[in-house]
């Protein structure tokens, strides 16, 4: 699979996330429905892109915000099904996302904290600025997606996944 990104997407953003965007395990998130009409892959990309922009404006660590935004829901199972531990989805999936992200990608403590706390106020309180940014961006993207409004990179085919060449 090849990820094709519009030329209007900043190269600085892509430099922070391209390794994750095209990773086979991360691409598998496309099979999971998120917020009724989008998939978890696109939701995560949207949260990442919005987080990167906000972090840049606020002079925060935009790399951590972009990567944590991308990985905040990095769980390869359907959120509508019962979790392996029986915990509510809002409490279980951030921990699972941190575990998966740390195992497959090298993520910083700041990124781990942002992923782990992105469900606030249902989960732990965010500990750093980037964690607050991910929390906010996730809520904005979820609301827009729930209302069937394209946001960030889901608008105008700014990100397209092409099948692998035969």
């Amino acid at each position: 699979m090849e990820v094709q990104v519009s030329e209007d997407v900043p190269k600085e953003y892509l430099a922070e996330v391209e390794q994750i965007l095209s990773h086979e395990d991360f691409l598998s998130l496309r099979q999971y429905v998120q917020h009724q009409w989008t998939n978890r892959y696109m939701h995560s990309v949207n949260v990442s892109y919005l987080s990167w922009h906000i972090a840049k404006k606020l002079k925060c660590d935009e790399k951590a915000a972009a990567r944590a935004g991308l990985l905040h829901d990095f769980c390869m199972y359907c959120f509508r099904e019962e979790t392996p531990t029986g915990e509510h989805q809002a409490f279980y999936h951030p921990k699972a996302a941190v575990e998966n992200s740390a195992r497959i990608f090298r993520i910083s403590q700041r990124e781990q904290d942002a992923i782990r706390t992105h469900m606030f106020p249902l989960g732990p309180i965010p500990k750093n600025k980037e964690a607050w940014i991910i929390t906010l961006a996730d809520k904005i993207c979820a609301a827009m997606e729930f209302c069937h409004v394209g946001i960030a990179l889901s608008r105008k085919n700014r990100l397209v996944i092409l099948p692998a060449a035969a």
Side-chain angles (χ1 to χ4, degrees):
M1 305 261 165
E2 179 187 344
V3 177
Q4 189 174 56
V5 183
S6 169
E7 289 185 17
D8 67 336
V9 176
K11 302 276 185 258
E12 307 100 328
Y13 169 73
L14 291 175
E16 307 297 4
V17 299
E18 63 188 340
Q19 175 213 5
I20 300 169
L21 275 180
S22 57
H23 191 280
E24 181 181 342
D25 289 327
F26 190 74
L27 282 163
S28 75
L29 296 180
R30 293 178 308 135
Q31 68 185 307
Y32 302 104
V33 174
Q34 192 91 353
H35 306 126
Q36 296 189 16
W37 72 277
T38 192
N39 64 55
R40 194 168 307 148
Y41 179 92
M42 202 66 230
H43 167 72
S44 298
V45 169
N46 289 336
V47 171
S48 171
Y49 191 63
L50 184 57
S51 296
W52 179 80
H53 272 287
I54 294 169
K56 203 167 172 58
K57 289 274 186 207
L58 297 177
K59 301 200 183 327
C60 297
D61 184 342
E62 66 260 22
K63 178 179 181 176
R67 288 170 49 88
L70 209 51
L71 297 168
H72 80 283
D73 283 343
F74 187 44
C75 305
M76 285 71 87
Y77 65 89
C78 179
F79 284 179
R80 291 187 180 112
E81 295 173 7
E82 188 172 332
T83 65
T85 63
E87 276 180 284
H88 189 279
Q89 193 57 251
F91 303 112
Y92 176 78
H93 90 268
K95 293 183 267 186
V98 167
E99 200 172 287
N100 292 336
S101 299
R103 183 173 38 83
I104 297 173
F105 305 103
R106 291 191 176 144
I107 61 171
S108 68
Q109 188 61 51
R110 184 169 290 274
E111 292 164 342
Q112 288 181 38
D113 289 343
I115 294 166
R116 189 176 292 107
T117 61
H118 81 273
M119 287 302 293
F120 179 80
L122 296 177
I125 191 165
K127 297 177 182 176
N128 58 57
K129 291 176 188 175
E130 293 76 18
W132 280 106
I133 290 169
I134 303 308
T135 300
L136 173 65
D138 184 42
K139 306 306 184 262
I140 291 169
C141 290
M144 298 299 281
E145 292 160 1
F146 187 78
C147 295
H148 296 255
V149 176
I151 188 170
L153 297 186
S154 62
R155 296 176 60 230
K156 302 177 188 173
N157 292 323
R158 294 172 83 195
L159 184 137
V160 176
I161 300 169
L162 304 172

